[in-house]
Amino acid sequence: GQRLGSMADSNDCGTLPALSGVSAEVLPDKDKIYFNDYSTLIQQQGMLQDTVRTSIYQFAILENGLDFAGKSVLDVGAGTGILSFFAARAGASRVYAVEASGMARNAEKLAAANGFDDVVQVINKRVEAVHLDEKVDVLISEPLGIALVNERMLESYLAARDQLLKPGGKLFPDFACMYVAPFSDDALYNEQVAKTTFWSQ
C-alpha cells in the first residue's frame, strides 16, 4: 500500500529526494502512447470515479485552505483539472493546470463551465517545458503510479519542485510510504516458469 500525508504528520517516513545533478531538460522523454492514453475520456473517467483517491485530494486541499488562499498553485499532470478546481475553490489566486496530453482542451472547457477560467490557466505542455514569470507557492499532483514509481510521474513532480516552486513552498503530497510484503502464488509462479521455457522449445 501507499500512504500520503504531510511532513507535519507524526508518522513521517522521509522527504522526496532531490534531483541532484539532473535538470528538467535531460529527463527521459515519455512515450507518446502514455500521453495518448491519458488524453482519452475513458481513462480520465476511471480516475474520477476512484472516489477514495479523489475525495482524499479534495479533503487535503479544502481542509488546508490557508495553504491555498491567495496563493499561486501549479497542478502537475492536471488531466481534467479536478485538483486545479479544488485549489481554486480553496481560494488560490492563480492555478496553472499543466497537462501534456490532449485532455488539456477538455480541462479548459471544464474550467470555463465551472466558472474557474479567471483563476485556472491550462497549459498544454510537459511540465519540464513550462517556464513561468513567477515561481509558485504550492505544487499539487497525483503522481503515484503502481508501486509508487510505475508511471514515472514522480520525476516530473520533482522537476517541477526544483524548477517552479518557491523556496519553502508546499507540495501536496510531499511524501509517500511504500509497504512491501512477500507472498506466494503457485499459479503465477508456474506461469512465469512456463514463460522461461518458451525459447527452448
Side-chain angles (χ1 to χ4, degrees):
Q2 299 163 358
R3 185 174 170 278
L4 296 175
S6 163
M7 290 307 294
D9 192 316
S10 60
N11 193 12
D12 171 18
C13 64
T15 61
L16 294 170
L19 283 175
S20 58
V22 179
S23 68
E25 291 74 32
V26 298
L27 287 173
D29 194 18
K30 291 194 173 91
D31 192 344
K32 288 181 182 177
I33 294 171
Y34 175 86
F35 290 117
N36 287 340
D37 187 40
Y38 281 92
S39 69
T40 64
L41 289 172
I42 193 71
Q43 174 72 16
Q44 297 293 328
Q45 177 184 341
M47 292 188 290
L48 291 170
Q49 287 181 318
D50 183 344
T51 54
V52 172
R53 165 193 173 274
T54 305
S55 63
I56 285 173
Y57 276 91
Q58 181 181 29
F59 180 83
I61 292 169
L62 297 181
E63 289 298 309
N64 290 285
L66 291 177
D67 291 327
F68 291 86
K71 303 291 177 66
S72 58
V73 177
L74 189 138
D75 182 358
V76 181
T80 58
I82 187 72
L83 302 186
S84 296
F85 305 154
F86 293 155
R89 279 186 56 202
S93 59
R94 169 62 65 190
V95 181
Y96 301 100
V98 179
E99 175 54 44
S101 81
M103 189 54 56
R105 292 185 295 276
N106 292 324
E108 281 185 328
K109 291 176 186 175
L110 288 167
N114 286 282
F116 294 130
D117 52 338
D118 58 334
V119 174
V120 177
Q121 177 186 343
V122 178
I123 301 172
N124 190 193
K125 290 182 179 180
R126 288 182 56 177
V127 73
E128 292 87 351
V130 171
H131 301 283
L132 302 174
D133 292 336
E134 62 171 341
K135 290 200 172 189
V136 297
D137 300 297
V138 182
L139 279 185
I140 55 175
S141 185
E142 202 286 81
L144 308 179
I146 297 167
L148 187 62
V149 297
N150 175 258
E151 296 175 19
R152 298 185 69 182
M153 266 292 290
L154 281 176
E155 293 172 11
S156 296
Y157 192 49
L158 296 177
R161 178 198 65 184
D162 295 345
Q163 302 297 321
L164 300 168
L165 184 65
K166 290 178 181 175
K170 303 238 174 165
L171 296 97
F172 285 78
D174 65 355
F175 75 88
C177 294
M178 187 161 58
Y179 301 93
V180 179
F183 77 99
S184 178
D185 182 323
D186 290 339
L188 180 61
Y189 175 79
N190 291 330
E191 179 185 330
Q192 298 307 311
V193 169
K195 286 181 181 179
T196 65
T197 63
F198 175 81
W199 295 107
S200 61
Q201 294 180 18

